[in-house]
Amino acid sequence: MIEKIIDATLRARFLVIAAVLLLIAVGIGAVRTTPLDAIPDLSDVQVIVFTEFPGQAPQVVEDQVTYALTTAMLAVPGADVVRGYSFFGLSFVYIIFEDGTDLYWARSRVLEYLNYVSSRLPQGVTPTLGPDATGVGWVYEYAIVDRSGQHDLSELRSIQDWYLRYPLQTVPGVAEVASVGGYVKQYQVVVDPNALLAYNVPLSRVRNAIMRSNNDVGGRLVEMSETEYMVRGKGYIQSIADIENIAVGVDDRGTPIRIQDVAHVQIGPELRRGIVELNGEGEVAGGVVIMRYGENALTTIQGVREKLEQLKSGLPEGVEIVPVYDRGDLIERAIDSLSWTLVLQFALVTVICAVFLLHLRSALVAIVALPIGILMAFIAMRLQGINANIMSLGGIAIAIGAMVDGPIVLIENAHKHLAIAREKFGEKLSSVERWNAISAAAREVGPALFFSLLVVVVSYFAIFTLEALEGRMFKPLEFSISYSMDAAAILSITFVTILTGYLIRGRILSESRNPISRMLHALHAPLLALFLRWRKITLLAVLALLVLAIYPVSRLGSEFMP
């Protein structure tokens, strides 16, 4: 079978080269569009249900909200674990799904079950879903700092909430921009219990009066002089005075009782549960950018950087944006480091091939075949949705050493067959004689090369048995190695054979005349003869080393990651 493929490849050389050129173009596109991140996404597939129950103690929240939600979510298809957490006025329910569950399918199922459970919740309590992000979606964080001292924390928080937050949410790939730190400005009505008692006004009437008075109402159209006028009542609260003048009732003499008669109205901060501090210099406001599930982290971060640069021109004087956490720097450093490693490996392969073969054109066969195999691996990774990270790119780096085996073995065998052909037909070979020699060389070692490279792939299959966190960590490594080795196996019996025929020309030294090979043979042959002569002693020495290794292995510690 393999021999027939080699013969068909050599007969249709133009079509194979055209197909390889097409693969190169597609591979370059795959490299450019493959999502980039520092590490694989290790988080579970989870959906968060967030519920506010203002003013209620944790036990009340647990009994009336969290318990109802968790018991309902236990029946969600594919749910593996359901966890509920109750805080003062807040409820969080985490639904963790089985591995391989599509996040958006999971969110739609949770929404269905929220509709069922809504009737069991207290009136006015509405659960909401968290952002469509994962545990590693936190990609960027910034602080809003006032160097001039002219703006307080509430003003900085208002800049974040009303000027920065919404434009950042328009960046492609951003799921949420969470505001942190500072003070949320609000109108506060501080009632006087004695005044309420004196006027015989219950607290609920004050609350309902404020709610009724903060509203716009619509009327109808009035036509006058062939012109339509819209009638509307404008009642939104615009200032403290608007609240103070709201009537909550009348006294015995018919005089209106206003809010200012029973309470003090002020602008103050909302109750907060934490602070944000920057470098020990004091409190600041800030924002956390959460990336949407499955998006390109580096592209999203670059979009956030650009948007912040555009927004800086509209900030008040003295206010600046300070990046606090930027995963893009980590991604870029990791990609640059691995890219340099790949370039270094290419250079080492080039030098080793050129030194040991003493034929630069032969070395070009391996040099050209390697990047094509890597591009083929990127095509498969892009189709599967695997992003480029430390693990997947590390797998390619590991595979390079084995990928080059096929071209080198074929090159050495082609050298031997071309030398035999020259002895038989003369120093100058015709085109037919040259390609016959290349075909014979490829047919001789092609099947062994193909299956030996596939054996390397099979040796990594144990990684596919890993599940949960360890599976998400190491499977990108296994997939990238497998795709790289599969590409190398396919190229070794197709394109590499053609490349060998075109590039191996000129003066070629036989192995017996290669000075480096002769030197290595001179060093190896006596040692091999010595070990073969003292076979039992050699085996005993190896067994002794194996036994001695048991002690240090038993004392090695273990952990999931360095």
Side-chain angles (χ1 to χ4, degrees):
M1 178 66 182
I2 303 298
E3 295 171 349
K4 292 181 179 179
I5 293 175
I6 293 172
D7 291 338
T9 299
L10 293 176
R11 286 195 301 268
R13 295 193 290 270
F14 174 77
L15 292 178
V16 173
I17 293 173
V20 169
L21 292 176
L22 179 61
L23 280 174
I24 292 172
V26 176
I28 292 173
V31 170
R32 290 182 174 179
T33 58
T34 297
L36 298 175
D37 208 337
I39 59 173
D41 190 345
L42 305 180
S43 57
D44 296 303
V45 178
Q46 71 174 6
V47 179
I48 302 173
V49 179
F50 168 67
T51 311
E52 288 187 287
F53 197 7
Q56 301 299 326
Q59 188 60 50
V60 176
V61 175
E62 174 72 22
D63 295 340
Q64 299 189 25
V65 178
T66 306
Y67 179 78
L69 291 175
T70 52
T71 52
M73 293 303 115
L74 289 172
V76 174
D80 189 25
V81 178
V82 179
R83 300 191 182 103
Y85 300 92
S86 301
F87 305 94
F88 179 79
L90 301 174
S91 168
F92 290 92
V93 176
Y94 295 82
I95 304 100
I96 300 174
F97 287 81
E98 299 171 354
D99 282 345
T101 305
D102 180 73
L103 176 63
Y104 294 101
W105 182 88
R107 290 172 66 86
S108 64
R109 298 289 80 77
V110 171
L111 279 175
E112 290 178 3
Y113 280 79
L114 283 180
N115 291 332
Y116 301 152
V117 76
S118 59
S119 60
R120 295 163 52 188
L121 298 177
Q123 185 177 3
V125 174
T126 305
T128 57
L129 293 187
D132 52 341
T134 65
V136 294
W138 187 322
V139 295
Y140 196 90
E141 184 178 1
Y142 59 90
I144 306 170
V145 181
D146 177 27
R147 303 294 186 187
S148 64
Q150 300 176 356
H151 305 277
D152 58 25
L153 289 174
S154 64
E155 291 174 323
L156 295 179
R157 179 60 182 260
S158 296
I159 292 172
Q160 158 62 21
D161 287 339
W162 304 105
Y163 179 67
L164 296 177
R165 180 182 178 185
Y166 295 114
L168 286 175
Q169 286 182 334
T170 65
V171 175
V174 172
E176 181 186 26
V177 179
S179 299
V180 293
Y183 294 102
V184 177
K185 189 183 297 186
Q186 62 179 195
Y187 290 110
Q188 297 177 342
V189 180
V190 184
V191 296
D192 182 355
N194 295 323
L196 291 178
L197 182 62
Y199 286 106
N200 194 26
V201 175
L203 184 62
S204 59
R205 187 186 299 176
V206 176
R207 178 176 177 271
N208 292 333
I210 296 174
M211 291 178 60
R212 289 197 308 268
S213 299
N214 186 33
N215 192 21
D216 272 10
V217 295
R220 57 168 294 172
L221 294 176
V222 176
E223 183 177 349
M224 297 175 60
S225 302
E226 299 182 353
T227 302
E228 287 185 344
Y229 293 90
M230 290 179 289
V231 179
R232 55 183 294 218
K234 300 178 67 175
Y236 282 132
I237 293 173
Q238 303 289 337
S239 64
I240 293 177
D242 291 343
I243 300 177
E244 291 176 335
N245 292 321
I246 294 174
V248 295
V250 293
D251 60 13
D252 296 338
R253 294 174 295 179
T255 304
I257 304 172
R258 297 171 298 175
I259 293 290
Q260 65 182 359
D261 298 326
V262 297
H264 171 66
V265 183
Q266 63 187 17
I267 293 178
E270 183 183 5
L271 179 68
R272 59 180 187 165
R273 307 293 294 278
I275 66 171
V276 174
E277 189 194 49
L278 180 64
N279 297 331
E281 299 174 358
E283 289 190 50
V284 295
V288 179
V289 180
I290 308 297
M291 181 185 70
R292 183 171 288 111
Y293 168 77
E295 293 291 337
N296 189 329
L298 187 58
T299 302
T300 301
I301 293 169
Q302 290 171 345
V304 170
R305 292 171 180 168
E306 293 173 1
K307 181 64 70 173
L308 286 176
E309 285 296 325
Q310 296 172 9
L311 294 172
K312 283 181 180 179
S313 60
L315 293 174
E317 185 178 355
V319 177
E320 61 183 70
I321 299 172
V322 179
V324 177
Y325 171 71
D326 186 345
R327 194 195 296 174
D329 295 335
L330 175 61
I331 297 171
E332 290 164 351
R333 290 198 305 270
I335 299 302
D336 290 343
S337 177
L338 284 169
S339 300
W340 169 248
T341 301
L342 294 176
V343 171
L344 186 61
Q345 285 185 306
F346 278 122
L348 289 174
V349 167
T350 304
V351 172
I352 291 171
C353 291
V355 168
F356 280 89
L357 298 175
L358 290 181
H359 193 260
L360 187 58
R361 286 186 177 181
S362 298
L364 287 175
V365 175
I367 297 167
V368 173
L370 273 179
I372 297 174
I374 292 173
L375 289 176
M376 292 172 65
F378 266 101
I379 294 173
M381 289 166 57
R382 185 71 181 89
L383 292 175
Q384 191 177 346
I386 299 175
N387 60 9
N389 51 61
I390 291 175
M391 297 303 291
S392 58
L393 294 181
I396 293 175
I398 293 171
I400 283 180
M403 290 172 67
V404 77
D405 289 347
I408 288 178
V409 172
L410 182 57
I411 290 166
E412 289 181 335
N413 203 42
H415 281 201
K416 184 181 72 172
H417 279 267
L418 287 173
I420 294 172
R422 286 193 177 93
E423 293 176 359
K424 184 177 180 180
F425 300 109
E427 193 65 29
K428 190 173 182 180
L429 298 176
S430 65
S431 177
V432 175
E433 293 167 346
R434 173 180 297 279
W435 283 108
N436 286 339
I438 296 296
S439 176
R443 288 165 62 89
E444 183 178 1
V445 298
L449 284 177
F450 183 79
F451 290 109
S452 65
L453 292 172
L454 292 185
V455 166
V456 176
V457 176
V458 174
S459 67
Y460 286 98
F461 276 6
I463 297 179
F464 284 126
T465 63
L466 298 177
E467 297 179 350
L469 183 63
E470 59 272 19
R472 292 189 289 272
M473 182 72 180
F474 292 105
K475 280 183 180 178
L477 175 79
E478 161 61 13
F479 279 120
S480 61
I481 291 177
S482 298
Y483 294 147
S484 300
M485 297 305 299
D486 290 341
I490 294 170
L491 290 174
S492 66
I493 60 173
T494 54
F495 182 67
V496 172
T497 305
I498 298 173
L499 211 58
T500 302
Y502 281 119
L503 293 180
I504 299 182
R505 297 175 182 273
R507 183 171 176 270
I508 300 173
L509 286 178
S510 63
E511 186 176 346
S512 60
R513 296 174 59 189
N514 189 318
I516 296 177
S517 297
R518 292 173 63 183
M519 179 185 69
L520 293 176
H521 278 299
L523 294 173
H524 177 252
L527 291 174
L528 180 61
L530 179 64
F531 291 142
L532 290 175
R533 181 180 178 184
W534 303 96
R535 294 187 294 273
K536 294 182 180 180
I537 295 177
T538 302
L539 290 175
L540 288 174
V542 172
L543 289 174
L545 287 174
L546 183 61
V547 172
L548 289 174
I550 294 175
Y551 178 77
V553 169
S554 65
R555 293 294 184 267
L556 287 176
S558 62
E559 56 182 344
F560 175 65
M561 292 178 64

